[in-house]
Amino acid sequence: VTITFGFWGDTAEAEMKQALAEAYMKDHPNVKIEMEYTDGAGYLTKMQTWLTSNSVPDVFGLANDHFFQWKGNPVFEDLAPYIEKDGLGSD
């Protein structure tokens, strides 16, 4: 299984997320995580490129204040059923 993960941040955050991905892949050898990192200044441009070219990462970060411009785009999937099924939404 290959999962692409898109995110923004500074160098320290990118290194931390890469380390987390590597730890996950070590525990799950059937999973490969491909990181799509962009600095904060270029992330919205990168997001527009992904969405208009239909090449969106499987998982990506998006700040709440930018979500509404993409609301209704079919690339977004409601994760509530998965969260409920796994009991992740309970206190």
Side-chain angles (χ1 to χ4, degrees), residues 4-55:
T4 53
F5 174 53
F7 66 98
W8 77 96
D10 60 23
T11 303
E13 185 175 1
E15 291 171 357
M16 179 266 306
K17 288 181 179 180
Q18 182 66 46
L20 288 172
E22 289 171 9
Y24 186 89
M25 290 185 290
K26 183 178 179 184
D27 289 345
H28 302 86
N30 64 319
V31 176
K32 179 180 179 187
I33 301 173
E34 296 178 348
M35 309 296 271
E36 295 271 347
Y37 166 74
T38 303
D39 65 22
Y43 194 69
L44 287 180
T45 301
K46 185 80 160 181
M47 179 66 68
Q48 290 172 335
T49 302
W50 286 335
L51 290 168
T52 57
S53 67
N54 200 25
S55 61

